[in-house]
């Protein structure tokens, strides 16, 4: 089981750094994680900082989805580091703004004991960088490989989430990944969260039905 502790999320939760400054910290942490550790004071440390951020963003607005949304974001943020080799933090307030166009979205539905849809939306430059991190190939422009790379990332991640739900006796089946352009998400019980990474910011969207 991957640890949910994140040094960079602890730093971001303290609201001492603007997103632009945080991006520099994330880039440095990718090279040497101890550089981020030095920014933390010696006082009490949150051992689940991603959970803390997501719970704050949700408030009391998602009583039936709370545990699934939190668990998914913890898994997503761990995957950013372990699968995309990218340091990232999630904001503690819901995301309201759409991504700069052209932007692209990838999502996937889990259906069964629960109905859960999750994915990401990113501007073209960030989408390409995320795809490059996953595929470990240079992707100078949007093409089928770039699209497929993020769809595969979402598919693998959501497959892992489906397995974790199964361990809690919640049975789900994965639908096919979906791809869209210039998406403004409109899902039921939708939660949009902005993620800042060393290669740019984007948003993760979770809902109880298809959001585009």
């Amino acid at each position: 089981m991957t640890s949910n502790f994140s040094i960079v999320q602890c730093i971001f939760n303290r609201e001492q750094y603007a997103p632009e400054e945080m991006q520099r910290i994330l880039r440095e942490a990718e090279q040497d994680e101890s550089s981020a550790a030095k920014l933390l004071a010696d006082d009490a440390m949150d051992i689940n900082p991603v959970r803390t951020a997501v719970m704050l963003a949700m408030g009391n607005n998602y009583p039936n989805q709370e545990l699934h949304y939190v668990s998914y974001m913890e898994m997503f943020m761990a995957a950013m580091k372990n699968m995309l080799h990218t340091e990232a933090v999630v904001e503690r307030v819901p995301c309201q703004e759409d991504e700069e166009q052209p932007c692209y979205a990838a999502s996937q539905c889990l259906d069964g004991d629960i109905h859960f849809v999750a994915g990401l939306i990113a501007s073209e430059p960030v989408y390409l960088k995320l795809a490059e991190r996953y595929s470990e190939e240079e992707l100078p422009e949007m093409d089928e490989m770039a699209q497929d790379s993020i769809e595969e990332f979402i598919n693998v991640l959501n497959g892992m989430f489906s397995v974790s739900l199964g361990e809690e006796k919640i049975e789900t089946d994965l639908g096919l990944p979906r791809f869209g352009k210039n998406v403004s998400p409109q899902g039921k019980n939708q939660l949009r969260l902005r993620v800042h990474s060393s290669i740019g910011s984007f948003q993760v969207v979770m809902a109880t039905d298809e959001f585009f």
Side-chain angles (χ1 to χ4, degrees):
M1 188 70 178
T2 303
S3 169
N4 292 321
F5 177 68
S6 165
I7 290 174
V8 289
Q9 187 70 49
C10 277
I11 293 169
F12 191 56
N13 283 1
R14 295 184 179 187
E15 299 183 316
Q16 294 174 316
Y17 299 96
E20 297 77 16
E21 182 70 3
M22 197 66 214
Q23 198 171 78
R24 178 188 63 78
I25 292 169
L26 292 168
R27 287 195 298 268
E28 291 176 356
E30 276 183 18
Q31 303 301 317
D32 178 12
E33 194 169 54
S34 67
S35 67
K38 292 172 185 175
L39 297 175
L40 285 177
D42 294 328
D43 52 0
M45 198 176 296
D46 185 353
I47 62 170
N48 291 303
V50 172
R51 175 174 291 262
T52 297
V54 178
M55 292 284 282
L56 285 168
M58 292 175 69
N60 298 317
N61 300 316
Y62 305 87
N64 297 319
Q65 291 77 38
E66 179 178 298
L67 294 178
H68 302 317
Y69 286 9
V70 171
S71 297
Y72 184 82
M73 279 308 300
E74 287 185 318
M75 187 170 285
F76 186 98
M77 299 303 286
M80 284 291 294
K81 185 166 185 174
N82 299 325
M83 294 166 59
L84 272 64
H85 314 293
T86 302
E87 291 283 356
V89 293
V90 58
E91 287 198 353
R92 304 195 297 171
V93 295
C95 177
Q96 306 289 345
E97 69 277 4
D98 290 342
E99 299 306 291
E100 181 179 339
Q101 295 186 1
C103 65
Y104 302 95
S107 74
Q108 189 174 35
C109 174
L110 283 71
D111 205 5
D113 292 342
I114 64 169
H115 198 70
F116 175 84
V117 182
L120 65 84
I121 306 173
S123 64
E124 184 170 299
V126 176
Y127 195 98
L128 285 170
K129 288 177 183 176
L130 290 168
E132 285 183 340
R133 290 287 174 105
Y134 185 76
S135 66
E136 298 183 346
E137 301 280 350
E138 285 192 21
L139 299 169
E141 60 186 27
M142 271 304 298
D143 57 16
E144 190 172 334
M145 184 174 180
Q147 175 182 332
D148 290 347
S149 293
I150 298 302
E151 287 185 358
E152 183 181 337
F153 168 65
I154 292 296
N155 186 58
V156 171
L157 174 63
N158 290 1
M160 292 165 52
F161 188 59
S162 180
V163 170
S164 73
L165 289 173
E167 292 171 351
E168 300 173 26
K169 309 301 183 187
I170 301 170
E171 298 302 321
T172 54
D173 295 316
L174 285 175
L176 293 174
R178 301 174 75 237
F179 176 80
K181 182 177 180 180
N182 296 337
V183 168
S184 180
Q186 303 291 331
K188 186 177 180 182
N189 298 309
Q190 177 175 280
L191 177 64
R192 303 163 66 179
L193 293 173
R194 180 155 300 284
V195 172
H196 299 284
S197 79
S198 60
I199 54 176
S201 73
F202 59 95
Q203 59 183 287
V204 174
V205 183
M206 296 170 286
T208 54
D209 66 356
E210 300 288 1
F211 56 83
F212 71 89

